[in-house]
Amino acid sequence: MSDANPAQSPPKSPVFVRVDPQKLVPSEGAIRAAKLRSNSIAVPDDEAVNAGVSAADKANWGPTTWHSKPIVQDVVYDNEKAVEKALEKLEALPPLVSPYEINKLQDLLRDAALGKAFVLQGGDCAELFDYCSQDRIESKMKILLQMSLVLIWGAKLPLVRIARIAGQFAKPRSKLTEEVDGKTIPSFRGDNINGFDPADRTPDPSRLVSAYFHSAATLNYIRSCLSSGFADLHRPFDWSLSHVQSSTIKERYASLVKSITEGLSFMKTVGVESSTLNTVDLFTSHEGLLLEFEQSLTRKLRDPRDGVEKWYNTSAHFLWIGDRTRQLNGAHVEYFRGIMNPIGMKVGPSMTAKELVDALDILDPDNIVGKVTLISRYGAGKVEQMLPAHIEAVKKTKHKVVWMCDPCHGNTKTSEISGLKTRDFEDIMSEVASSLQVHKTAGSQLHGIHLELTGDAVTECIGGSEMLTHEDLEIRYDTVCDPRLSESQSLDVAFLIADWFQQGKMMSIAEQTS
């Protein structure tokens, strides 16, 4: 028997176990998408349309079933392995938004479809990564909040706020190439595809991952602002009007805010103040153009309402199909028909009533109220010709949609003086007024407005209370794609719509500012 004292035994040497970090492995879907995006050829629009989705297809949807469909507005990358690596990384990153938030927006859009709320959707034509900054984000939030107050005051309805932010990077283009200094180069298609600099026009898949992180940073700051009282109705004067040139608009807004603050003061005095006045919901949205990106952020997650796992697109709360990518048998409609998110579809003058109904049958087979938002964008002068037939076609179905008006995209023109793309404020308001009236005449209702706008004092659209002319466009023309309404012009739109709800007619800018 040993006399050694265990307590005096030398200490054991520590054992180090080396564990290598788990390597990311791309899914089969990512591998197939990478192959598609490296070899595919865009299919002309007229070749991508047929009868739609078969009964067998409906039972077999998945985030990758769009691979078998023709696609337009395609992006072809040079390096398949680089695409695969980017998608592999995206698949491993956490969701940007949650099923709870997505479901909440669906409930609010249900209210809008039933005429119990009004929707304001707005933001940049195409976000740049450089827009991910404190000042840029705050300016967009401020203008949406200011417009919200005006529209609530006018419509006497709750407001659903959806920003074109934290993901609105890619843009469809009518021409995939352009002439620069006598050379034909690829068009700029958004920061998540290529660069605005003519020397940086080769599609780069690493930009997809960069887009995710810029979206995440933007969302993080938005949530931080809202949770810190940025949208507190007790201090609406903090939402600066420093860029608004029109003294009349400033006075109207100040008068409106004064009446609201007096009402809030009275509520506090009598003890009925609500904590809901301290913040608002602000949802994110973008056009779901790059399906390889959307596929990578489509996750099977538990629906908090019933505990069942379902497919949610976690890149944004709300996504829409553009007017160029709405082919019934195309890849975009195939992808969109399977996600739980509320979705939108642009409706242009080339869409027939039958195509519209067929698209709704594919995208909303269960007739969920508010599941689909129809965003009409005909152009001034075409609303009375196109919208009535579309309204009547939808009314004959079981679909209960949200009707929105996008008065920007159908009214883009080229200035004869500067050669810059612009929009005339009078055309924009003409389309809004016509849409409101046509819906009223048809026994329907316009449930929202969709605008390309910025919170900055840009000079990209002519007209409005600032009375901008073609000669003014070059003062501050900042957009890299389509012209946006300035802060002042955006408030002009809000007040004119509010006047329509209150008086049943659309005032002119001259009447508004007199």
Side-chain angles (χ1 to χ4, degrees):
M1 184 173 181
S2 173
D3 293 331
N5 185 348
Q8 297 176 347
S9 299
K12 294 181 179 180
S13 298
V15 177
F16 293 96
V17 179
R18 178 179 175 180
V19 179
D20 291 329
Q22 184 176 357
K23 293 183 178 180
L24 299 180
V25 179
S27 68
E28 287 298 318
I31 294 172
R32 289 200 305 273
K35 187 178 294 294
L36 280 171
R37 297 285 65 76
S38 303
N39 299 288
S40 56
I41 300 175
V43 178
D45 290 7
D46 57 355
E47 295 181 20
V49 180
N50 70 13
V53 179
S54 69
D57 287 338
K58 289 181 179 179
N60 297 318
W61 184 90
T64 62
T65 53
W66 63 270
H67 293 180
S68 63
K69 301 291 184 177
I71 190 168
V72 296
Q73 292 291 319
D74 198 13
V75 178
V76 180
Y77 298 98
D78 293 339
N79 189 328
E80 179 181 330
K81 286 298 179 183
V83 182
E84 188 177 300
K85 183 178 180 181
L87 301 186
E88 169 190 290
K89 179 63 176 176
L90 289 172
E91 289 180 333
L93 291 168
L96 290 172
V97 298
S98 72
Y100 173 82
E101 295 170 327
I102 293 169
N103 292 346
K104 185 173 186 180
L105 176 58
Q106 178 66 74
D107 291 341
L108 293 173
L109 290 175
R110 180 182 186 276
D111 289 343
L114 297 174
K116 298 177 181 178
F118 193 80
V119 185
L120 169 63
Q121 184 174 11
D124 285 302
C125 160
E127 279 183 278
L128 295 182
F129 292 162
D130 288 346
Y131 292 176
C132 184
S133 68
Q134 177 181 345
D135 290 344
R136 292 272 193 174
I137 296 169
E138 286 185 1
S139 68
K140 277 176 272 194
M141 293 175 67
K142 285 175 182 176
I143 188 58
L144 290 174
L145 291 171
Q146 289 165 341
M147 293 177 72
S148 296
L149 277 186
V150 175
L151 290 170
I152 291 171
W153 165 71
K156 301 295 188 290
L157 289 170
L159 239 290
V160 183
R161 302 165 188 85
I162 306 176
R164 292 170 56 113
I165 199 170
Q168 179 53 19
F169 298 116
K171 285 292 293 183
R173 304 305 298 263
S174 56
K175 295 182 179 180
L176 298 185
T177 61
E178 63 177 333
E179 295 289 327
V180 177
D181 296 330
K183 295 180 180 180
T184 300
I185 63 172
S187 297
F188 174 62
R189 302 181 64 185
D191 254 359
N192 59 353
I193 297 175
N194 56 9
F196 184 67
D197 190 314
D200 196 19
R201 293 294 175 86
T202 300
D204 179 0
S206 69
R207 287 176 171 270
L208 297 172
V209 179
S210 186
Y212 172 94
F213 285 109
H214 282 88
S215 295
T218 300
L219 262 170
N220 179 66
Y221 189 63
I222 289 173
R223 287 172 170 149
S224 175
C225 285
L226 295 179
S227 65
S228 303
F230 185 88
D232 191 339
L233 276 179
H234 296 88
R235 45 187 226 190
F237 279 111
D238 289 353
W239 309 336
S240 171
L241 289 171
S242 59
H243 294 320
V244 176
Q245 303 298 315
S246 169
S247 59
T248 303
I249 294 296
K250 286 183 178 180
E251 291 171 5
R252 291 195 71 186
Y253 184 77
S255 175
L256 170 60
V257 169
K258 181 180 179 182
S259 65
I260 290 173
T261 52
E262 288 175 350
L264 293 177
S265 177
F266 175 77
M267 290 171 63
K268 184 176 181 180
T269 301
V270 298
V272 294
E273 190 173 34
S274 171
S275 60
T276 60
L277 300 174
N278 298 326
T279 189
V280 298
D281 290 314
L282 181 63
F283 299 97
T284 62
S285 69
H286 61 259
E287 179 177 353
L289 188 64
L290 292 185
L291 295 182
E292 60 271 26
F293 180 87
E294 307 304 341
Q295 167 192 306
S296 302
L297 286 166
T298 303
R299 311 289 168 80
K300 204 165 193 178
L301 301 174
R302 187 179 65 85
D303 185 339
R305 297 170 297 189
D306 57 18
V308 177
E309 288 191 337
K310 301 172 185 176
W311 289 110
Y312 287 89
N313 181 308
T314 64
S315 70
H317 302 107
F318 179 92
L319 298 98
W320 72 87
I321 305 171
D323 194 47
R324 294 186 177 96
T325 55
R326 54 172 172 73
Q327 295 77 24
L328 298 183
N329 193 42
H332 289 82
V333 169
E334 168 62 23
Y335 171 78
F336 270 74
R337 73 181 179 87
I339 58 176
M340 287 296 297
N341 307 58
I343 59 176
M345 181 173 65
K346 292 293 186 76
V347 180
S350 64
M351 178 173 256
T352 67
K354 183 180 185 305
E355 285 175 327
L356 177 54
V357 172
D358 287 345
L360 286 175
D361 289 341
I362 296 170
L363 296 170
D364 181 32
D366 298 321
N367 301 318
I368 299 172
V369 178
K371 167 68 176 180
V372 177
T373 296
L374 297 178
I375 309 168
S376 62
R377 34 91 75 226
Y378 306 112
K382 297 180 182 178
V383 177
E384 291 87 350
Q385 174 188 350
M386 301 297 306
L387 184 55
H390 285 158
I391 292 174
E392 289 306 311
V394 175
K395 286 172 69 174
K396 292 176 182 178
T397 71
K398 294 181 180 180
H399 302 289
K400 193 71 175 177
V401 304
V402 177
W403 282 102
M404 292 182 70
C405 172
D406 168 5
C408 293
H409 281 90
N411 293 304
T412 305
K413 61 181 70 174
T414 300
S415 172
E416 295 181 357
I417 295 177
S418 63
L420 295 170
K421 286 199 297 185
T422 189
R423 289 163 177 157
D424 191 322
F425 187 84
E426 291 301 318
D427 291 339
I428 289 172
M429 292 316 303
S430 173
E431 182 154 357
V432 175
S434 295
S435 298
L436 285 162
Q437 187 58 53
V438 167
H439 274 285
K440 182 177 180 180
T441 302
S444 178
Q445 188 173 346
L446 184 66
H447 304 121
I449 188 79
H450 181 120
L451 300 167
E452 287 190 340
L453 56 80
T454 176
D456 301 320
V458 299
T459 57
E460 297 168 3
C461 297
I462 62 173
S465 58
E466 295 177 272
M467 301 182 182
L468 295 178
T469 66
H470 287 274
E471 288 80 4
D472 297 322
L473 291 178
E474 296 185 69
I475 295 174
R476 186 177 175 184
Y477 194 93
D478 290 347
T479 184
V480 296
C481 193
D482 290 337
R484 303 160 297 175
L485 294 166
S486 68
E487 181 185 44
S488 181
Q489 291 168 331
S490 299
L491 279 172
D492 287 337
V493 173
F495 274 115
L496 289 170
I497 294 175
D499 288 338
W500 192 92
F501 277 112
Q502 289 195 334
Q503 303 176 29
K505 71 182 185 74
M506 186 72 71
M507 297 174 64
S508 67
I509 282 293
E511 290 174 315
Q512 187 192 56
T513 56
S514 61

